[in-house]
Amino acid sequence: MGILNALFGKSTDNVSEYIEKGAVILDVRTKSEYQGGHIKNAKHIPLQELGNRINEIKKLNKPIIAHCASGMRSANAASLLKTNGIDAINGGGIGSLKRKILS
């Protein structure tokens, strides 16, 4: 499991730490996925739009927990955000992130 975590940037241990730091939850799924159900107060920016909206994320001035359906797109999102100087982690899929937040 360690190799998968390294490849996809899963940070199961860091989610609670990031929540304590006031992190913004960023949902990078499509509009229809988001409309089908989302984490309360999550900011929605589809992965395809994220590159063009980096300044919007920077203005939040908060760490970011990116998530999607399975953890693949959110890994890409976290990597893109880090490349742009934003403190971000991959929260994984929506189901597992909900469990981490509620625990």
Side-chain angles (χ1 to χ4, degrees):
M1 206 53 158
I3 272 210
L4 290 176
N5 288 347
L7 286 174
F8 299 117
K10 291 201 175 192
S11 302
T12 54
D13 299 341
N14 291 344
V15 168
S16 58
E17 180 183 313
Y18 269 64
I19 294 290
E20 288 175 18
K21 292 195 298 187
V24 171
I25 296 173
L26 177 65
D27 189 327
V28 297
R29 299 175 302 153
T30 64
K31 183 178 181 179
S32 62
E33 286 175 304
Y34 182 82
Q35 289 173 335
H38 57 271
I39 294 173
K40 186 178 178 184
N41 298 323
K43 181 158 187 63
H44 179 239
I45 300 177
L47 181 60
Q48 301 88 326
E49 298 176 18
L50 190 58
N52 294 325
R53 295 176 68 181
I54 292 293
N55 286 335
E56 185 179 334
I57 300 296
K58 284 185 176 184
K59 286 178 185 174
L60 297 172
N61 201 28
K62 294 195 180 261
I64 303 295
I65 301 171
H67 85 83
C68 61
S70 69
M72 297 292 287
R73 288 174 285 179
S74 54
N76 290 335
S79 178
L80 175 64
L81 294 171
K82 287 179 193 177
T83 299
N84 283 278
I86 298 167
D87 184 8
I89 60 168
N90 177 9
I94 186 170
S96 65
L97 183 57
K98 278 183 179 179
R99 287 189 297 277
K100 292 171 198 168
I101 291 171
L102 296 175
S103 62

